[in-house]
Amino acid sequence: MDTMLEARLQTQQRNTQNSQETSLWSSGFGMKLEAVTPFLGKYRPFVGRCCQTCTPKSWESLFHRSIMDLGFCNVVLVKEENTRFRGWLVRRLCYFLWSLEQRIPPCQDAPQKIMESTRLQNVISGRVPGGAGEGQVPGLVKKEVQRILGHIQAPIHPFLLRLFSWALLRFLNCVFLNVQLHKGQMKMVHKASQAQGLPLVLLSTHKSLLDGILLPFVLLSQGLGVLRVVWDSRTCSPTLRALLKKLGGLFLPPEANLTLDSPEGVLARAVVHAAMEQLLVSRQPLLIFLEEHPGAQGPRLSALGQTWLGLVVQAVQVGVIPDAMLVPVAITYDLVPDAPCDVYHALAPLGLWTGALAVLRSLRGWGHSPRVCVRVHLAQPFSLQEYTINARSCWGSRQTLEQLLQPIVLGQCTIVPDTEKEQEWTPATGPLLAFKEEDQLLVRRLSRHVLNASVTSSAVMSTAIMATLLLFKHQKGVFLSQLLGEFSWLTEETLLRGFDVGFSGQLRCLVQHTLSLLRAHVALLRVHQGDLLVVPRPGPGLTHLARLSAELLPAFLSEAVGACAVRGLLAGRVPPEGPWELQGIELLSQNELYRQILLLLHLLPQDLLLLQPCQSSYCYCQEVLDRLIQCGLLVAEETPGSRPACDTGRQRLSAKLLWKPSGDFTDSDSDNFEEAEGRYFRLSQQSRCPDFFLFLCRLLSPLLKAFVQAATFLHRGQLPDTESGYTEQLLQFLQATAQEEGSFECADRNLAISAIWTFRDLGVLQQMPSPAGPMLYLSPTFTSRENQEKLEQFIWQFICS
């Protein structure tokens, strides 16, 4: 990668540019070359281990320590050595020969096996109440079944798949600098598939419309076989759907979303179940996207992805297959290739000609714009059966956000209830509605658990690190010499927290490559002594940087939550603009810290936190406190007359400490809340702490500021209104406020939607049915300006200006 980056940079330097600013991009980095190792020597974290609480057997048996020593491979780099042939002609035709050698197993009798399914035969014969076969001719029902099955899938066309793989390989080499995959992760998935003899179900994040084509290509090239990919019918035109089905695509028929008592819906759901059962029995690998497609406005978790995952769960429960191996998958880009300037536009179905024009535009821009890097990550596989057995024991009581927070916001009580928050923004649709309520809950929590594993194992790209530095530390500009050091610092901090990065190479080349990718949102100004000043462009460019910086937030989320909680605890004691030494005088009790962390956890959306369902909020509070101590922001304070915290010689094991649930084991010694009452902390007085504390607080500031502005807008908005209409009102207000105050990182449609949905859960807004559809009303409790100001103050306490 280093050689390719340097070659690319040399090519850019040879291109003559007319404008003065453009010349700075190619020749302005005339500084002394300094080789810096940003990976702490040879250490690189191996991420992606499965949950030890829910799947302890998989955690131990499906991991081999030797795979950590295997390196990375560039999937799109196909040479003569990747084929069985040698010679000068092979070197020129290696892409074509490679595509011919890919193993594509035949599956010609799949439609017949689906028709013979017991579930489907019962529906056709009319033995299922409400089924489509009641009172109808079986021949007509069979034709309807074949029509529905044709909408779901089609036989894979080997020649078309090989031709498409060859064309895609050439296209990817033109668009991407490299597509990196850890060979150890691939070996781990291969061993799990071969040793267990079970079907693989890959559950992935969704960053680009290209994911559904890129991931099957990567796994086909690594010998995993033809991947069956679940596509959303709303994003594809009929012509494109027909092509994707011949390449292994799966689509949910629209009849499957009909009501439970609809005969057409019963028949469609039976066909979908039968198709899924046949696919799993034949051990064909399946790819399901757990996130909504790019550009979708709404919840992060995909309702379609949960539906298909529910079909897999039910197939295991009824005994169609003994088990299935679930593999969390993550894919990250330097820049998402198909993201327009406003990714939240109304997404129209992608047609075949539209896709071809997008390919031509990408090829036309090849050589004129820097190519991006891609990283594919495969986490450790785990057993679905094992998770199902162990996960049910982790379910506890839950309350709505209105029950948990509204009395505290209004000052009616101060005690935080000892229960978890129930917040589900993804509606249950399609075949998932036919499941039992307990099974629906299992699928929702499994989806969140796997998405948490995928996100935490995602590689952090250089653009996310650069955007975070420019947005939250140097929004007014930074010299390039200083930026080099801070880029290396933030990279090491990310690695120390167990997150991997998707880049390598010399520091200077990395920074130059990253700035060239962000050149539309960053300006370079030449100053004295040959140094450069890097300045983020004001305006919508800051919104784009905020979206990129969100990819780094999971690595620092615990510390960011803790820092904002500390800010909320100090808000009523010390002025925000007061000196750091004055804030360090205040004693912070452990119980007060727990309370503030819990309040912030309840306020933040689940789609942002993505907490594991097996982890309680109090357990997460202990983890947050541990992180603040480990990073040096909090220091234990010994009160006069109390036993030192490090004195364990006189401690006796009480009955409460002899046995604990597995979820209560942490690195902290603060498990007993009664003994924690007399434990206090202070903010550290080290010189680096003020800047780091402010940096952590600012990571959550775009969302929290959007919440504050949404609370301010309550008395200005026009209610009642539909959800989409009120979202437009709030977005216009956020944009107008951004023009006045410069807070463009808050002017985001998804932040506006999160604020509206959080206020709806909190009881600030109420949703009621109407002939025109669901309408939003202002709750009677928050019609008074006094309660609206209380809501603003409650949110504002967590913001560090």
Side-chain angles (χ1 to χ4, degrees), residues 552-569:
L552 184 65
L553 180 59
F556 294 88
L557 183 59
S558 297
E559 290 97 325
V561 169
C564 291
V566 172
R567 176 61 261 165
L569 195 56

Side-chain angles (χ1 to χ4, degrees), residues 268-407:
R269 286 187 286 271
V271 176
V272 173
H273 276 280
M276 174 59 72
E277 291 172 359
Q278 191 279 328
L279 187 147
L280 294 173
V281 169
S282 62
R283 294 183 54 196
Q284 298 181 58
L286 175 66
L287 174 62
I288 300 174
F289 292 107
L290 289 182
E291 286 184 316
E292 279 290 354
H293 57 85
Q297 301 173 15
R300 182 175 186 176
L301 279 168
S302 168
L304 179 66
Q306 288 189 356
T307 296
W308 285 94
L309 180 57
L311 297 174
V312 178
V313 171
Q314 193 170 65
V316 174
Q317 288 182 339
V318 299
V320 175
I321 52 174
D323 199 357
M325 302 304 299
L326 303 185
V327 185
V329 181
I331 182 168
T332 49
Y333 302 84
D334 279 334
L335 289 178
V336 179
D338 56 0
C341 297
D342 183 12
V343 298
Y344 302 107
H345 65 298
L347 190 65
L350 180 63
L352 191 59
W353 290 110
T354 307
L357 290 176
V359 171
L360 291 176
R361 282 197 301 268
S362 301
L363 294 177
R364 188 180 61 179
W366 178 52
H368 301 285
S369 59
R371 291 182 290 169
V372 302
C373 301
V374 186
R375 175 76 178 276
V376 177
H377 183 91
L378 304 175
Q380 182 182 1
F382 64 91
S383 165
L384 173 58
Q385 188 72 264
E386 182 186 11
Y387 176 86
T388 303
I389 295 173
N390 295 331
R392 296 182 189 274
S393 61
C394 301
W395 296 356
S397 60
R398 292 176 178 263
Q399 290 184 352
T400 63
L401 185 62
E402 182 177 357
Q403 296 170 326
L404 289 172
L405 273 191
Q406 191 182 103

Side-chain angles (χ1 to χ4, degrees), residues 479-499:
F479 288 110
L480 180 63
S481 55
Q482 181 183 356
L483 187 61
L484 290 172
E486 297 210 354
F487 188 91
S488 178
W489 162 77
L490 193 52
T491 300
E492 291 190 358
E493 291 290 338
T494 303
L495 292 167
L496 283 172
R497 283 158 177 78
F499 281 75

Side-chain angles (χ1 to χ4, degrees), residues 112-127:
Q112 184 62 30
K113 291 180 180 179
I114 294 174
M115 292 294 296
E116 295 173 356
S117 168
T118 303
R119 180 195 297 267
L120 195 54
Q121 288 297 322
N122 291 337
V123 175
I124 293 176
S125 61
R127 290 193 292 268

Side-chain angles (χ1 to χ4, degrees), residues 161 194 340 582-583 649 676 708:
L161 184 58
Q194 295 169 1
L582 184 61
Q583 300 185 35
V708 168

Side-chain angles (χ1 to χ4, degrees), residues 40-93:
L40 305 177
K42 294 184 179 180
Y43 172 75
R44 191 168 195 147
F46 188 86
V47 296
R49 299 294 302 273
C50 62
C51 180
Q52 196 172 7
T53 301
C54 299
T55 53
K57 294 181 180 179
S58 300
W59 187 88
E60 182 178 0
S61 61
L62 299 180
F63 177 77
H64 305 276
R65 190 164 297 275
S66 60
I67 67 177
M68 299 173 60
D69 300 329
L70 300 177
F72 290 86
C73 66
N74 184 7
V75 179
V76 298
L77 185 61
V78 175
K79 298 181 179 179
E80 177 185 2
E81 292 78 11
N82 299 106
T83 67
R84 294 182 294 120
F85 309 98
R86 297 293 181 268
W88 67 270
L89 185 60
V90 175
R91 287 191 290 272
R92 287 156 178 78
L93 300 177

Side-chain angles (χ1 to χ4, degrees), residues 639-705:
T639 56
S642 64
R643 185 180 62 204
C646 58
D647 183 11
T648 60
R650 299 182 180 180
Q651 294 184 11
R652 297 181 180 180
L653 293 178
S654 63
K656 297 180 180 179
L657 295 178
L658 290 177
W659 182 257
K660 297 181 180 180
S662 60
D664 291 339
F665 284 106
T666 64
D667 295 333
S668 174
D669 59 349
S670 58
D671 296 315
N672 194 335
F673 287 93
E674 296 179 1
E675 294 185 3
E677 292 180 357
R679 202 166 295 164
Y680 291 86
F681 299 90
R682 291 184 190 272
L683 286 174
S684 174
Q685 296 300 308
Q686 297 181 18
S687 59
R688 68 176 185 87
C689 287
D691 289 340
F692 190 51
F693 180 82
L694 187 61
F695 169 74
L696 293 176
C697 289
R698 285 175 174 171
L699 290 178
L700 290 175
S701 61
L703 178 66
L704 293 176
K705 286 183 179 179

